[in-house]
Amino acid sequence: MRVEGRESKIASDLLAHYDVHARRLPWRAPPGSNATDPYRVWLSEVMLQQTTVAAVGPYFAKFTERWPSVEALAAAADADLMAAWAGLGYYARARNLLACARAVTSDHGGVFPDTEDGLRALPGVGAYTAAAVAAIAFGRRAVVVDANVERVVARLFAITTPLPAARPAIREAADRITPDARAGDFAQAMMDLGATICTSRNPACGICPLRADCAAVLTADPAAFPVKAAKKAKPHRLGHAFWIERADGHVWLARRPDKGLLGGMRGLPGSAWNDVPDPTPPFAGAWQTLEPPVAHVFTHFSLALTVHAIQVNQGHVPSGAGEWWPIDRLAEAGLPTLFVRAAETAMKKEDVSDARH
DNA sequence: AAGCCGTGGGG
DNA sequence: TCCCCAAGGCT
């Protein structure tokens, strides 16, 4: 529940700054326009989950061009959508995006629910995204809390409880400063502030519109907020991947299981990834081991993937789910970045051997 | 409910 | 180089 006083001053200070300094972003209505398309708001919010504005830009342009409405997206083939998402990461988002578009199209007549609860029931829409879409697309008062808001609020009120334990208190504080009017602008203003001024490291307190409202700026180190619990060490794993190239210029791509890491994506066949992976190739032959391994860092472990390559004849039939893919069109396969690197390793090897002839 | 789930950029 | 982290959701 919002109260008057210091809280309302924060909102008015921030909105006044936002009216002048709002970032121009592809998914925002142009200044002075109230034309917010819920489809574009929702699509951008899902893409922006744990993902930078810079990374989302080209994907948002590609998606809205190819699928201009939720109905168009709902009609997309699964493989096409997964391939279009390739490289953006967190692939469960892509599967949920499609499920959500189909739910909106079939269960809601192609119209997004306009309440937080209605949105929250959709696949891939959690507390943050439901609040953000309700506020930004539908003008409803909603308490929008993402990592930016957590940081700004923790500083405004100098909250010393470490995350994640501080979440309830941060949310209550965010509720108190959220205005009844312009909740969507307020949410976006908070995120703009967190992205450009109240940054995680080296916040620009000198130019902050909330400087006079901020408790942390009075402390020795405003950047020390929010306090965070120590994080666990990231384990290192090993793995083997197999580049199986057919004489007619095709490579065998496996289809990964729908759930789990890189779920539902194409990739090179290979071993499990662990401390002592099985290096045995899927069949015997003149395998060539390529050095060095591909180094890749995931959210919760790092990986060294050793690539092994072989040439097979036309009649070769690999095991497991997958397909032969033309190597000169590999960019269209929608490979996750790890396998793009692995493929580059294999093809660089071929360039070298070709050059020697 | 803590762990799982990608990737690229910046300090 | 290495570490941090970015408009989180799901189980």
Side-chain angles (χ1 to χ4, degrees):
Chain A
M1 181 66 73
R2 193 172 72 87
V3 298
E4 296 303 317
R6 181 188 173 200
E7 287 77 12
S8 64
K9 172 171 159 42
I10 290 173
S12 56
D13 287 349
L14 184 62
L15 285 168
H17 182 264
Y18 183 75
D19 286 336
V20 180
H21 297 288
R23 288 183 292 173
R24 309 291 175 81
L25 299 174
W27 43 88
R28 280 186 186 167
S33 163
N34 290 324
T36 53
D37 179 352
Y39 168 66
R40 293 167 64 89
V41 174
W42 160 76
L43 178 62
S44 70
E45 289 301 340
V46 173
M47 287 184 165
L48 286 161
Q49 288 166 7
Q50 298 288 288
T51 308
T52 58
V53 165
V56 165
Y59 284 86
F60 183 80
K62 177 171 64 177
F63 270 64
T64 51
E65 161 115 10
R66 185 168 177 184
W67 298 297
S69 68
V70 67
E71 292 96 335
L73 189 65
D78 294 53
D80 289 345
L81 188 130
M82 298 307 288
W85 194 276
L88 198 53
Y90 283 138
Y91 298 99
R93 290 186 297 171
R95 298 192 296 276
N96 286 328
L97 190 82
L98 196 47
C100 181
R102 289 173 178 166
V104 169
T105 297
S106 60
D107 302 343
H108 301 275
V111 179
F112 275 88
D114 66 354
T115 65
E116 234 179 305
D117 284 349
L119 291 159
R120 180 68 182 79
L122 295 168
V125 177
Y128 162 76
T129 303
V133 174
I136 297 168
F138 298 113
R140 292 187 178 272
R141 183 184 184 281
V143 182
V144 179
V145 183
D146 75 323
N148 287 303
V149 176
E150 283 186 348
R151 184 171 57 254
V152 172
V153 167
R155 288 175 181 169
L156 282 173
F157 299 94
I159 294 172
T160 54
T161 307
L163 287 173
R167 292 243 155 81
I170 289 176
R171 192 199 157 72
E172 287 174 19
D175 194 353
R176 276 184 268 123
I177 64 174
T178 299
D180 294 327
R182 299 188 66 186
D185 284 347
F186 178 76
Q188 295 180 89
M190 287 286 278
M191 294 190 277
D192 274 17
L193 187 75
T196 62
I197 293 176
C198 194
T199 51
S200 182
R201 286 168 291 193
N202 302 319
C205 301
I207 60 169
C208 181
L210 300 186
R211 179 184 181 84
D213 307 303
C214 184
V217 78
L218 302 176
T219 70
D221 184 14
F225 299 94
V227 180
K228 293 185 179 178
K231 55 174 51 181
K232 291 177 52 178
K234 190 173 287 196
H236 188 66
R237 297 182 187 169
L238 306 174
H240 299 274
F242 304 105
W243 176 267
I244 305 168
E245 183 172 341
R246 208 167 60 176
D248 66 348
H250 287 63
V251 63
W252 181 256
L253 296 184
R255 168 71 155 63
R256 299 178 61 81
D258 278 330
K259 299 193 174 185
L261 192 69
L262 309 178
M265 305 298 287
R266 297 188 178 105
L268 298 186
S271 72
W273 303 337
N274 49 46
D275 288 340
V276 189
D278 179 3
T280 309
F283 53 91
W287 291 92
Q288 181 181 0
T289 298
L290 309 178
E291 300 290 349
V294 175
H296 196 76
V297 181
F298 292 100
T299 304
H300 56 294
F301 67 95
S302 57
L303 174 69
L305 186 68
T306 302
V307 182
H308 309 263
I310 197 169
Q311 314 256 354
V312 298
N313 60 35
Q314 206 77 0
H316 183 85
V317 179
S319 58
E323 61 199 309
W324 290 108
W325 195 274
I327 293 174
D328 59 359
R329 293 175 49 196
L330 204 54
E332 301 164 36
L335 292 177
T337 299
L338 167 67
F339 293 117
V340 172
R341 303 276 179 260
E344 286 169 354
T345 298
M347 290 188 289
K348 183 182 301 180
K349 175 268 302 180
E350 287 158 14
D351 286 348
V352 170
S353 59
D354 287 346
R356 285 173 183 165
H357 289 314

